[in-house]
Amino acid sequence: MQTKLPQTFLATNRGQQANRILRNCVHCGFCTATCPTYQLLGDELDGPRGRIYLIKQMLEGQPVTRHTQLHLDRCLTCRACETTCPSGVEYGRLVDIGREWIEEKVARPLPERIKRLLLRKIVPQPSRLRLLLRVANLCKPLLPAVLKQKIPALPVNSPWPARQYARKMLILDGCAQNVIHPEIDAATARVLDRFQIQLVREQQSGCCGAVDQHLAANADARRQMKRNIDAWWPRLQDGIEGIIVTASGCAAHMKEYHHYFEDDPEYHDKARMISDRTLDISELMSQLPLQQVIGTVPAQIVAFHSPCTLQHGQQITNTIEPLLKQCGYQLQYPRDAHICCGSAGTYSVLQAELSSQLLDNKLTNLCAQEPECIATANIGCLMHMQTRSPVPVLHWIELVDRALRGHDKK
Ligand code: SF4
Ligand code: SF4
């Protein structure tokens, strides 16, 4: 695609990235076939090709309106289009640039600004989220059923192994997951303990920055990323092998840290090291001899939902399924496995109607063969599906932990 971006913009790092990405797009439209919002709305501007065109027009200096903003807001950033694109168009990076641009040019109505601000100030802040969760649980009996189902129960503490090993990995302490479902990281610590790997928590780190980044609050996202880099960098220099992430959404974001610091000589190399040393838990587990520690467990039928941030964002496919099979689970593969469940970070709050349709479709497909539970790899998808799923929804590492614990009892 030909572009005519202004010279002033082309002189910036963002301008060069956008120009390169736009020029790679040949406008073939293959990507529209796998775009969830195009499938639901049937409007070219709600598909990747149309959005790329809108971004190009906007960056070239044409007027931007609420109409343009709406089509970009409706994008899930699921990146299914990237997986489908034969020309390697990095749509996720482009939409990031487009969103930042439009946020500077088009004012949002006050209620929308408040909603976005509240999400940014609560979700990535564990202490605030914890307080909100407690209050919501106290008020739960008084709420209508539709709200009740959205409030997760208060978590119970789960044991962490205390043993120390030479092989150590950091674990992303993150934000929402450890408030709402701390069992996931505890299960990970127990599973890795079997392989003599110690998980280390770094108190100075926090949210990976994805929430702010997706809400186009780029300066705040950068601040959070810098704080994490400052906390992790010395630990990685000190012999810790890498950073394990149990939420595929956070892992996908951390593997791209270096892109956000391309114009920052102080942080770029450190950010690159963080990206290179970040491992989704599935990547580490696939390197470990699971068959040596696993026994036979009663077969449970599991439908696996691969989050977009795993299969499209990190391009990790068919890695978790064999691990679950090794543990004795019977796997079901749903239809339209490449399509988003509608969670997509804060999308389920900001685009509730589209998100709800995607959730219904996803659960229909996942439950078509009547599984006993659904396994996934991202806290956002887990919580979203849990609101309406007829069967329990778990992180897949919890199933591995259960299989190992079941083996102990024999
Ligand atoms: S993003 Fe890729 S698949 Fe979509 S129109 Fe452009 S080149 Fe074609
Ligand atoms: S990221 Fe997902 S929703 Fe957005 S354009 Fe691509 S396929 Fe469509």
Side-chain angles (χ1 to χ4, degrees):
M1 188 193 288
Q2 291 205 330
T3 54
K4 286 188 196 138
L5 305 192
Q7 282 308 320
T8 44
F9 187 48
L10 279 175
T12 66
N13 195 277
R14 275 193 322 161
Q16 285 160 22
Q17 274 186 39
N19 200 39
R20 178 178 48 77
I21 299 168
L22 285 168
R23 281 172 177 251
N24 275 346
C25 176
V26 294
H27 233 60
C28 62
F30 286 166
C31 51
T32 51
T34 54
C35 173
T37 54
Y38 180 77
Q39 284 184 3
L40 288 181
L41 300 164
D43 181 340
E44 172 75 11
L45 296 180
D46 284 312
R49 184 170 60 177
R51 289 182 179 125
I52 289 170
Y53 203 71
L54 285 175
I55 296 170
K56 170 181 139 61
Q57 284 183 317
M58 168 169 102
L59 298 180
E60 283 179 344
Q62 293 189 35
V64 281
T65 61
R66 280 284 292 157
H67 177 74
T68 321
Q69 193 172 48
L70 175 71
H71 293 296
L72 293 196
D73 281 353
R74 282 186 188 150
C75 169
L76 295 139
T77 330
C78 68
R79 294 168 67 183
C81 47
E82 282 189 31
T83 301
T84 316
C85 175
S87 306
V89 172
E90 294 163 89
Y91 173 85
R93 297 216 49 70
L94 184 67
V95 80
D96 234 19
I97 296 169
R99 283 180 173 147
E100 189 182 3
W101 182 278
I102 207 165
E103 214 60 24
E104 289 161 8
K105 307 269 185 288
V106 179
R108 292 180 181 277
L110 186 64
E112 217 174 278
R113 290 211 302 270
I114 293 174
K115 213 191 240 185
R116 291 168 77 93
L117 186 70
L118 284 175
L119 283 168
R120 287 184 38 228
K121 296 298 170 197
I122 294 175
V123 177
Q125 301 287 340
S127 54
R128 294 176 195 165
L129 189 61
R130 197 168 285 118
L131 181 66
L132 184 70
L133 185 65
R134 284 199 192 118
V135 173
N137 268 278
L138 277 175
C139 302
K140 211 169 176 175
L142 310 171
L143 297 175
V146 67
L147 280 180
K148 262 187 202 161
Q149 67 182 11
K150 290 187 188 293
I151 300 172
L154 289 171
V156 284
N157 279 336
S158 187
W160 270 67
R163 282 180 284 266
Q164 305 219 339
Y165 300 110
R167 205 170 167 198
K168 296 184 201 308
M169 313 278 283
L170 282 167
I171 183 149
L172 170 75
D173 240 2
C175 47
Q177 178 173 293
N178 266 326
V179 174
I180 292 163
H181 210 113
E183 174 64 15
I184 296 172
D185 283 354
T188 307
R190 290 191 295 266
V191 170
L192 294 184
D193 184 63
R194 303 286 183 131
F195 299 97
Q196 305 198 341
I197 298 173
Q198 183 188 342
L199 276 189
V200 179
R201 296 172 115 160
E202 171 49 66
Q203 303 297 334
Q204 300 305 314
S205 64
C207 172
C208 67
V211 175
D212 276 327
Q213 189 67 43
H214 290 164
L215 290 171
N218 294 26
D220 281 350
R222 229 172 132 100
R223 254 193 297 281
Q224 287 178 345
M225 290 188 262
K226 277 188 176 178
R227 184 200 51 199
N228 288 343
I229 294 170
D230 288 340
W232 294 329
W233 166 258
R235 308 297 295 262
L236 293 176
Q237 297 290 301
D238 229 17
I240 288 192
E241 248 178 75
I243 309 162
I244 291 298
V245 188
T246 51
S248 60
C250 308
H253 187 64
M254 286 164 57
K255 286 180 179 181
E256 306 219 324
Y257 264 24
H258 57 290
H259 282 307
Y260 298 105
F261 294 95
E262 275 174 7
D263 54 355
D264 186 330
E266 190 191 344
Y267 275 87
H268 182 257
D269 287 351
K270 292 180 183 177
R272 163 61 80 181
M273 188 186 189
I274 299 297
S275 296
D276 290 348
R277 305 268 283 270
T278 293
L279 280 178
D280 186 275
I281 179 64
S282 60
E283 293 174 289
L284 177 63
M285 286 303 298
S286 66
Q287 297 165 17
L288 300 174
L290 188 59
Q291 62 283 358
Q292 286 178 17
V293 293
I294 207 84
T296 312
V297 289
Q300 202 180 8
I301 303 168
V302 179
F304 181 65
H305 166 61
S306 176
C308 302
T309 42
L310 187 79
Q311 58 173 321
H312 306 305
Q314 299 183 72
Q315 295 286 318
I316 297 175
T317 52
N318 201 28
T319 303
I320 293 167
E321 296 90 324
L323 294 171
L324 289 175
K325 280 186 192 162
Q326 278 181 52
C327 293
Y329 295 104
Q330 284 181 32
L331 262 279
Q332 291 180 347
Y333 298 88
R335 262 188 61 200
D336 288 342
H338 60 288
I339 295 285
C340 182
C341 67
S343 167
T346 52
Y347 193 91
S348 57
V349 179
L350 297 171
Q351 298 291 332
E353 206 175 308
L354 285 172
S355 167
S356 177
Q357 286 180 52
L358 288 167
L359 176 61
D360 281 344
N361 295 347
K362 181 57 70 184
L363 287 175
T364 302
N365 287 330
L366 280 165
C367 297
Q369 298 170 67
E370 301 184 355
E372 289 170 82
C373 73
I374 295 171
T376 189
N378 190 48
I379 182 68
C381 310
L382 188 155
M383 286 168 55
H384 187 52
M385 292 191 290
Q386 219 166 31
T387 58
R388 281 190 219 155
S389 172
V391 293
V393 187
L394 297 155
H395 192 288
W396 67 273
I397 198 75
E398 293 179 272
L399 290 176
V400 175
D401 179 49
R402 281 183 188 185
L404 289 169
R405 295 222 241 176
H407 179 48
D408 283 348
K409 285 181 198 141
K410 289 187 191 308

